[in-house]
Amino acid sequence: MPQVVVKWSGKEYPVDLEEGARVEDLKRALQEQTHVDAKRQKLLGLKTRDGKPAPDGAAVSELSLKPGARVMMMGQPDDVIAQTAAAAAAAPEVQDDFDIGEGEEQSVQVKDQPEVLEKLQRRIKSTEVKILNPPRPGKKCLVLDIDYTLFDLNSSAERPDELARPFLHEFLAATYADYDIIIWSATNMKWVEVKMQELGVLGNSQYKLVCMLDHKAMVTVQTERYGVFDCKPLAFIWAKFPEHYNEGNTVMLDDLRRNFIMNRQNGLVIRPYKRAHLTRGSDRELLLLARYLTLVGGLDSLAGLDHRRWERYLAKHGG
């Protein structure tokens, strides 16, 4: 009787299966334990022996599972979805994840606070960065968030790659000509690695990543209006790669404005990618952003740009 250990929401769920059990049986067993509907479950790292994502009809015994390996599951239980829908209906104008309002960044001053600078220095000293590919001389730096920027976190699909934002690989291949690429997610590194592997980003022949960062490189700040939250200080990257990246050649894409509160000029707010099953046919954000970033990639410096007006810049300069 095979056993599969699935990690979800910070807990591990051992699932004992009958001989000949299929992936769909595993999902039904997980539904009983977690109350996450089998149709909404995304099992990351579950692959056939030829490296392809495992379909629901695949036999678990025939999958490429190493002894002791954990499978990560994504998905929300029915009661959480119902609560979220009810809350959204009651307060449709509430901003997602208490983000900072557009135009209000100037009123939130944290960059030069002594305690913030002290935290940043501790992060720089204590957090190691695994370099996947060395920086290339003369290239600018493109820092990318994952969830809702490149990937729809909460929608359901049989395969994780179905939740990739449209034109993901075209975007990365196009921008790679002018930019070194760094992935920075607010989750932990294991999730980052799994997502990038499942989306076909790691090991892609058309582009390479310099490194990937997770929540350990983030800094907690406190503001009078928005309280306490974590952000992504680009000075962490500049300190790790001082010969390559700086304030004048770095741009960061994120769906949350608060993540670049310490580097407002370098941040570009991307429209969040959600409800992939409805929007994948019409979402052209990455396609247009590739044109914009390619257009400004030839500039000596990005310091004078207002990334909030990237669409206007693209229209004006014929990108």
mmCIF file of all heavy atoms in Angstrom, residues 259-292:
data_model
loop_
_atom_site.group_PDB
_atom_site.id
_atom_site.type_symbol
_atom_site.label_atom_id
_atom_site.label_comp_id
_atom_site.label_asym_id
_atom_site.label_seq_id
_atom_site.Cartn_x
_atom_site.Cartn_y
_atom_site.Cartn_z
ATOM 1 N N ASN A 259 5.371 46.568 -1.942
ATOM 2 C CA ASN A 259 6.607 45.792 -1.953
ATOM 3 C C ASN A 259 7.825 46.609 -2.354
ATOM 4 O O ASN A 259 8.948 46.249 -2.028
ATOM 5 C CB ASN A 259 6.466 44.569 -2.861
ATOM 6 C CG ASN A 259 5.792 43.412 -2.144
ATOM 7 O OD1 ASN A 259 5.909 43.272 -0.927
ATOM 8 N ND2 ASN A 259 5.070 42.589 -2.884
ATOM 9 N N PHE A 260 7.621 47.705 -3.087
ATOM 10 C CA PHE A 260 8.783 48.540 -3.418
ATOM 11 C C PHE A 260 8.645 49.936 -2.789
ATOM 12 O O PHE A 260 9.063 50.938 -3.362
ATOM 13 C CB PHE A 260 9.025 48.638 -4.924
ATOM 14 C CG PHE A 260 7.806 48.789 -5.773
ATOM 15 C CD1 PHE A 260 7.135 49.984 -5.878
ATOM 16 C CD2 PHE A 260 7.339 47.707 -6.509
ATOM 17 C CE1 PHE A 260 6.016 50.124 -6.681
ATOM 18 C CE2 PHE A 260 6.223 47.822 -7.317
ATOM 19 C CZ PHE A 260 5.565 49.044 -7.407
ATOM 20 N N ILE A 261 8.098 49.968 -1.573
ATOM 21 C CA ILE A 261 7.931 51.242 -0.883
ATOM 22 C C ILE A 261 9.278 51.899 -0.592
ATOM 23 O O ILE A 261 9.376 53.122 -0.480
ATOM 24 C CB ILE A 261 7.133 51.031 0.426
ATOM 25 C CG1 ILE A 261 6.728 52.373 1.043
ATOM 26 C CG2 ILE A 261 7.921 50.191 1.424
ATOM 27 C CD1 ILE A 261 5.849 53.205 0.158
ATOM 28 N N MET A 262 10.345 51.121 -0.489
ATOM 29 C CA MET A 262 11.668 51.687 -0.237
ATOM 30 C C MET A 262 12.362 52.115 -1.524
ATOM 31 O O MET A 262 13.421 52.740 -1.478
ATOM 32 C CB MET A 262 12.542 50.683 0.527
ATOM 33 C CG MET A 262 12.056 50.404 1.936
ATOM 34 S SD MET A 262 13.108 49.257 2.845
ATOM 35 C CE MET A 262 14.622 50.231 3.019
ATOM 36 N N ASN A 263 11.780 51.756 -2.663
ATOM 37 C CA ASN A 263 12.385 52.094 -3.963
ATOM 38 C C ASN A 263 11.281 52.448 -4.952
ATOM 39 O O ASN A 263 11.071 51.759 -5.942
ATOM 40 C CB ASN A 263 13.210 50.915 -4.496
ATOM 41 C CG ASN A 263 14.212 50.387 -3.482
ATOM 42 O OD1 ASN A 263 13.947 49.388 -2.831
ATOM 43 N ND2 ASN A 263 15.344 51.067 -3.347
ATOM 44 N N ARG A 264 10.591 53.537 -4.661
ATOM 45 C CA ARG A 264 9.396 53.877 -5.438
ATOM 46 C C ARG A 264 9.684 54.066 -6.923
ATOM 47 O O ARG A 264 8.908 53.636 -7.772
ATOM 48 C CB ARG A 264 8.754 55.140 -4.856
ATOM 49 C CG ARG A 264 8.150 54.933 -3.476
ATOM 50 C CD ARG A 264 7.415 56.169 -3.015
ATOM 51 N NE ARG A 264 8.322 57.259 -2.725
ATOM 52 C CZ ARG A 264 8.834 57.494 -1.529
ATOM 53 N NH1 ARG A 264 8.526 56.689 -0.528
ATOM 54 N NH2 ARG A 264 9.643 58.507 -1.325
ATOM 55 N N GLN A 265 10.786 54.723 -7.251
ATOM 56 C CA GLN A 265 11.055 55.018 -8.652
ATOM 57 C C GLN A 265 11.351 53.752 -9.452
ATOM 58 O O GLN A 265 11.090 53.694 -10.653
ATOM 59 C CB GLN A 265 12.239 56.001 -8.763
ATOM 60 C CG GLN A 265 12.467 56.569 -10.169
ATOM 61 C CD GLN A 265 13.232 55.625 -11.078
ATOM 62 O OE1 GLN A 265 14.137 54.927 -10.624
ATOM 63 N NE2 GLN A 265 12.883 55.603 -12.364
ATOM 64 N N ASN A 266 11.848 52.731 -8.793
ATOM 65 C CA ASN A 266 12.227 51.502 -9.487
ATOM 66 C C ASN A 266 11.061 50.549 -9.688
ATOM 67 O O ASN A 266 11.188 49.558 -10.404
ATOM 68 C CB ASN A 266 13.329 50.775 -8.717
ATOM 69 C CG ASN A 266 14.571 51.615 -8.521
ATOM 70 O OD1 ASN A 266 14.687 52.320 -7.525
ATOM 71 N ND2 ASN A 266 15.482 51.567 -9.464
ATOM 72 N N GLY A 267 9.935 50.814 -9.045
ATOM 73 C CA GLY A 267 8.825 49.884 -9.077
ATOM 74 C C GLY A 267 7.841 50.144 -10.198
ATOM 75 O O GLY A 267 7.550 51.288 -10.544
ATOM 76 N N LEU A 268 7.326 49.075 -10.761
ATOM 77 C CA LEU A 268 6.276 49.144 -11.775
ATOM 78 C C LEU A 268 5.150 48.219 -11.325
ATOM 79 O O LEU A 268 5.358 47.014 -11.175
ATOM 80 C CB LEU A 268 6.818 48.727 -13.142
ATOM 81 C CG LEU A 268 5.913 48.974 -14.364
ATOM 82 C CD1 LEU A 268 6.748 49.055 -15.644
ATOM 83 C CD2 LEU A 268 4.850 47.881 -14.528
ATOM 84 N N VAL A 269 3.982 48.780 -11.093
ATOM 85 C CA VAL A 269 2.835 47.997 -10.628
ATOM 86 C C VAL A 269 2.187 47.299 -11.816
ATOM 87 O O VAL A 269 1.674 47.949 -12.733
ATOM 88 C CB VAL A 269 1.798 48.886 -9.920
ATOM 89 C CG1 VAL A 269 0.643 48.022 -9.402
ATOM 90 C CG2 VAL A 269 2.446 49.637 -8.768
ATOM 91 N N ILE A 270 2.216 45.994 -11.789
ATOM 92 C CA ILE A 270 1.599 45.213 -12.854
ATOM 93 C C ILE A 270 0.166 44.867 -12.451
ATOM 94 O O ILE A 270 -0.128 44.680 -11.260
ATOM 95 C CB ILE A 270 2.418 43.928 -13.126
ATOM 96 C CG1 ILE A 270 1.935 43.224 -14.396
ATOM 97 C CG2 ILE A 270 2.386 42.982 -11.931
ATOM 98 C CD1 ILE A 270 2.865 42.098 -14.840
ATOM 99 N N ARG A 271 -0.728 44.819 -13.390
ATOM 100 C CA ARG A 271 -2.110 44.436 -13.073
ATOM 101 C C ARG A 271 -2.103 42.976 -12.623
ATOM 102 O O ARG A 271 -1.530 42.120 -13.285
ATOM 103 C CB ARG A 271 -3.007 44.591 -14.294
ATOM 104 C CG ARG A 271 -3.185 46.043 -14.744
ATOM 105 C CD ARG A 271 -4.078 46.141 -15.966
ATOM 106 N NE ARG A 271 -4.254 47.520 -16.397
ATOM 107 C CZ ARG A 271 -3.448 48.155 -17.241
ATOM 108 N NH1 ARG A 271 -2.389 47.518 -17.742
ATOM 109 N NH2 ARG A 271 -3.671 49.402 -17.581
ATOM 110 N N PRO A 272 -2.751 42.662 -11.501
ATOM 111 C CA PRO A 272 -2.734 41.284 -11.010
ATOM 112 C C PRO A 272 -3.408 40.325 -11.980
ATOM 113 O O PRO A 272 -4.439 40.655 -12.572
ATOM 114 C CB PRO A 272 -3.488 41.369 -9.679
ATOM 115 C CG PRO A 272 -4.291 42.624 -9.764
ATOM 116 C CD PRO A 272 -3.512 43.568 -10.615
ATOM 117 N N TYR A 273 -2.806 39.165 -12.134
ATOM 118 C CA TYR A 273 -3.353 38.142 -13.021
ATOM 119 C C TYR A 273 -4.164 37.156 -12.183
ATOM 120 O O TYR A 273 -3.615 36.359 -11.425
ATOM 121 C CB TYR A 273 -2.228 37.414 -13.748
ATOM 122 C CG TYR A 273 -2.715 36.337 -14.700
ATOM 123 C CD1 TYR A 273 -3.622 36.636 -15.718
ATOM 124 C CD2 TYR A 273 -2.259 35.024 -14.586
ATOM 125 C CE1 TYR A 273 -4.071 35.665 -16.595
ATOM 126 C CE2 TYR A 273 -2.695 34.044 -15.469
ATOM 127 C CZ TYR A 273 -3.606 34.365 -16.458
ATOM 128 O OH TYR A 273 -4.050 33.393 -17.331
ATOM 129 N N LYS A 274 -5.485 37.207 -12.326
ATOM 130 C CA LYS A 274 -6.391 36.343 -11.573
ATOM 131 C C LYS A 274 -7.458 35.787 -12.522
ATOM 132 O O LYS A 274 -7.611 36.231 -13.641
ATOM 133 C CB LYS A 274 -7.049 37.113 -10.432
ATOM 134 C CG LYS A 274 -6.050 37.678 -9.418
ATOM 135 C CD LYS A 274 -6.744 38.427 -8.291
ATOM 136 C CE LYS A 274 -5.740 38.953 -7.273
ATOM 137 N NZ LYS A 274 -6.388 39.667 -6.148
ATOM 138 N N ARG A 275 -8.165 34.762 -12.018
ATOM 139 C CA ARG A 275 -9.238 34.122 -12.801
ATOM 140 C C ARG A 275 -8.717 33.734 -14.177
ATOM 141 O O ARG A 275 -9.255 34.114 -15.216
ATOM 142 C CB ARG A 275 -10.433 35.070 -12.899
ATOM 143 C CG ARG A 275 -11.044 35.388 -11.544
ATOM 144 C CD ARG A 275 -11.981 36.570 -11.576
ATOM 145 N NE ARG A 275 -13.043 36.389 -12.563
ATOM 146 C CZ ARG A 275 -13.975 37.299 -12.810
ATOM 147 N NH1 ARG A 275 -13.973 38.430 -12.126
ATOM 148 N NH2 ARG A 275 -14.882 37.094 -13.731
ATOM 149 N N ALA A 276 -7.669 32.942 -14.171
ATOM 150 C CA ALA A 276 -6.971 32.574 -15.405
ATOM 151 C C ALA A 276 -7.901 31.949 -16.439
ATOM 152 O O ALA A 276 -7.734 32.173 -17.647
ATOM 153 C CB ALA A 276 -5.821 31.616 -15.091
ATOM 154 N N HIS A 277 -8.856 31.155 -16.003
ATOM 155 C CA HIS A 277 -9.743 30.477 -16.938
ATOM 156 C C HIS A 277 -10.591 31.466 -17.733
ATOM 157 O O HIS A 277 -11.073 31.146 -18.823
ATOM 158 C CB HIS A 277 -10.641 29.485 -16.203
ATOM 159 C CG HIS A 277 -11.499 30.103 -15.132
ATOM 160 N ND1 HIS A 277 -10.969 30.643 -13.985
ATOM 161 C CD2 HIS A 277 -12.841 30.274 -15.050
ATOM 162 C CE1 HIS A 277 -11.947 31.116 -13.236
ATOM 163 N NE2 HIS A 277 -13.095 30.917 -13.855
ATOM 164 N N LEU A 278 -10.784 32.675 -17.198
ATOM 165 C CA LEU A 278 -11.565 33.693 -17.891
ATOM 166 C C LEU A 278 -10.708 34.709 -18.629
ATOM 167 O O LEU A 278 -11.143 35.290 -19.627
ATOM 168 C CB LEU A 278 -12.477 34.433 -16.898
ATOM 169 C CG LEU A 278 -13.548 33.604 -16.184
ATOM 170 C CD1 LEU A 278 -14.295 34.474 -15.184
ATOM 171 C CD2 LEU A 278 -14.519 33.005 -17.197
ATOM 172 N N THR A 279 -9.501 34.936 -18.143
ATOM 173 C CA THR A 279 -8.688 36.045 -18.665
ATOM 174 C C THR A 279 -7.503 35.626 -19.515
ATOM 175 O O THR A 279 -6.868 36.481 -20.134
ATOM 176 C CB THR A 279 -8.163 36.912 -17.493
ATOM 177 O OG1 THR A 279 -7.364 36.090 -16.628
ATOM 178 C CG2 THR A 279 -9.321 37.489 -16.696
ATOM 179 N N ARG A 280 -7.186 34.329 -19.564
ATOM 180 C CA ARG A 280 -5.974 33.931 -20.296
ATOM 181 C C ARG A 280 -6.058 34.258 -21.784
ATOM 182 O O ARG A 280 -5.033 34.431 -22.442
ATOM 183 C CB ARG A 280 -5.674 32.450 -20.095
ATOM 184 C CG ARG A 280 -6.681 31.479 -20.689
ATOM 185 C CD ARG A 280 -6.133 30.051 -20.714
ATOM 186 N NE ARG A 280 -5.793 29.579 -19.393
ATOM 187 C CZ ARG A 280 -6.565 28.780 -18.659
ATOM 188 N NH1 ARG A 280 -7.753 28.412 -19.133
ATOM 189 N NH2 ARG A 280 -6.198 28.373 -17.475
ATOM 190 N N GLY A 281 -7.259 34.372 -22.305
ATOM 191 C CA GLY A 281 -7.381 34.684 -23.720
ATOM 192 C C GLY A 281 -7.255 36.157 -24.046
ATOM 193 O O GLY A 281 -7.058 36.533 -25.207
ATOM 194 N N SER A 282 -7.357 37.009 -23.031
ATOM 195 C CA SER A 282 -7.339 38.450 -23.285
ATOM 196 C C SER A 282 -6.193 39.190 -22.594
ATOM 197 O O SER A 282 -5.924 40.342 -22.919
ATOM 198 C CB SER A 282 -8.663 39.075 -22.823
ATOM 199 O OG SER A 282 -8.881 38.830 -21.437
ATOM 200 N N ASP A 283 -5.510 38.551 -21.654
ATOM 201 C CA ASP A 283 -4.450 39.228 -20.901
ATOM 202 C C ASP A 283 -3.207 39.404 -21.786
ATOM 203 O O ASP A 283 -2.619 38.434 -22.250
ATOM 204 C CB ASP A 283 -4.091 38.410 -19.658
ATOM 205 C CG ASP A 283 -3.140 39.159 -18.737
ATOM 206 O OD1 ASP A 283 -1.937 39.277 -19.067
ATOM 207 O OD2 ASP A 283 -3.590 39.625 -17.690
ATOM 208 N N ARG A 284 -2.820 40.667 -22.001
ATOM 209 C CA ARG A 284 -1.667 40.988 -22.841
ATOM 210 C C ARG A 284 -0.620 41.812 -22.078
ATOM 211 O O ARG A 284 0.243 42.437 -22.676
ATOM 212 C CB ARG A 284 -2.127 41.781 -24.070
ATOM 213 C CG ARG A 284 -2.995 40.985 -25.017
ATOM 214 C CD ARG A 284 -3.745 41.872 -25.999
ATOM 215 N NE ARG A 284 -2.856 42.780 -26.711
ATOM 216 C CZ ARG A 284 -2.177 42.461 -27.811
ATOM 217 N NH1 ARG A 284 -2.273 41.215 -28.297
ATOM 218 N NH2 ARG A 284 -1.413 43.341 -28.419
ATOM 219 N N GLU A 285 -0.722 41.797 -20.748
ATOM 220 C CA GLU A 285 0.144 42.637 -19.921
ATOM 221 C C GLU A 285 1.630 42.360 -20.169
ATOM 222 O O GLU A 285 2.427 43.280 -20.370
ATOM 223 C CB GLU A 285 -0.193 42.424 -18.444
ATOM 224 C CG GLU A 285 0.425 43.448 -17.519
ATOM 225 C CD GLU A 285 -0.425 44.706 -17.346
ATOM 226 O OE1 GLU A 285 -1.370 44.900 -18.147
ATOM 227 O OE2 GLU A 285 -0.150 45.481 -16.410
ATOM 228 N N LEU A 286 2.013 41.098 -20.145
ATOM 229 C CA LEU A 286 3.430 40.773 -20.314
ATOM 230 C C LEU A 286 3.913 41.069 -21.736
ATOM 231 O O LEU A 286 5.078 41.458 -21.933
ATOM 232 C CB LEU A 286 3.690 39.309 -19.973
ATOM 233 C CG LEU A 286 3.557 38.929 -18.496
ATOM 234 C CD1 LEU A 286 3.903 37.467 -18.288
ATOM 235 C CD2 LEU A 286 4.424 39.816 -17.617
ATOM 236 N N LEU A 287 3.050 40.903 -22.697
ATOM 237 C CA LEU A 287 3.422 41.201 -24.079
ATOM 238 C C LEU A 287 3.750 42.680 -24.232
ATOM 239 O O LEU A 287 4.770 43.060 -24.840
ATOM 240 C CB LEU A 287 2.285 40.803 -25.018
ATOM 241 C CG LEU A 287 2.540 40.988 -26.516
ATOM 242 C CD1 LEU A 287 3.645 40.053 -26.991
ATOM 243 C CD2 LEU A 287 1.255 40.730 -27.301
ATOM 244 N N LEU A 288 2.917 43.535 -23.657
ATOM 245 C CA LEU A 288 3.132 44.983 -23.751
ATOM 246 C C LEU A 288 4.307 45.432 -22.886
ATOM 247 O O LEU A 288 5.085 46.306 -23.290
ATOM 248 C CB LEU A 288 1.862 45.718 -23.344
ATOM 249 C CG LEU A 288 0.651 45.485 -24.255
ATOM 250 C CD1 LEU A 288 -0.594 46.149 -23.674
ATOM 251 C CD2 LEU A 288 0.918 46.001 -25.660
ATOM 252 N N LEU A 289 4.450 44.829 -21.723
ATOM 253 C CA LEU A 289 5.562 45.189 -20.859
ATOM 254 C C LEU A 289 6.903 44.781 -21.464
ATOM 255 O O LEU A 289 7.915 45.461 -21.254
ATOM 256 C CB LEU A 289 5.387 44.553 -19.480
ATOM 257 C CG LEU A 289 4.446 45.306 -18.541
ATOM 258 C CD1 LEU A 289 4.105 44.463 -17.319
ATOM 259 C CD2 LEU A 289 5.044 46.632 -18.118
ATOM 260 N N ALA A 290 6.914 43.692 -22.210
ATOM 261 C CA ALA A 290 8.151 43.299 -22.891
ATOM 262 C C ALA A 290 8.572 44.381 -23.877
ATOM 263 O O ALA A 290 9.770 44.698 -23.996
ATOM 264 C CB ALA A 290 7.953 41.966 -23.606
ATOM 265 N N ARG A 291 7.605 44.961 -24.564
ATOM 266 C CA ARG A 291 7.916 46.030 -25.520
ATOM 267 C C ARG A 291 8.434 47.262 -24.790
ATOM 268 O O ARG A 291 9.396 47.900 -25.232
ATOM 269 C CB ARG A 291 6.668 46.375 -26.337
ATOM 270 C CG ARG A 291 6.178 45.233 -27.221
ATOM 271 C CD ARG A 291 4.870 45.611 -27.911
ATOM 272 N NE ARG A 291 4.320 44.504 -28.682
ATOM 273 C CZ ARG A 291 3.123 44.513 -29.244
ATOM 274 N NH1 ARG A 291 2.349 45.598 -29.116
ATOM 275 N NH2 ARG A 291 2.693 43.471 -29.927
ATOM 276 N N TYR A 292 7.798 47.598 -23.684
ATOM 277 C CA TYR A 292 8.236 48.768 -22.917
ATOM 278 C C TYR A 292 9.649 48.573 -22.369
ATOM 279 O O TYR A 292 10.511 49.456 -22.516
ATOM 280 C CB TYR A 292 7.260 49.021 -21.768
ATOM 281 C CG TYR A 292 7.748 50.042 -20.772
ATOM 282 C CD1 TYR A 292 7.814 51.400 -21.101
ATOM 283 C CD2 TYR A 292 8.158 49.661 -19.493
ATOM 284 C CE1 TYR A 292 8.266 52.342 -20.184
ATOM 285 C CE2 TYR A 292 8.607 50.595 -18.567
ATOM 286 C CZ TYR A 292 8.657 51.932 -18.927
ATOM 287 O OH TYR A 292 9.119 52.858 -18.016
#
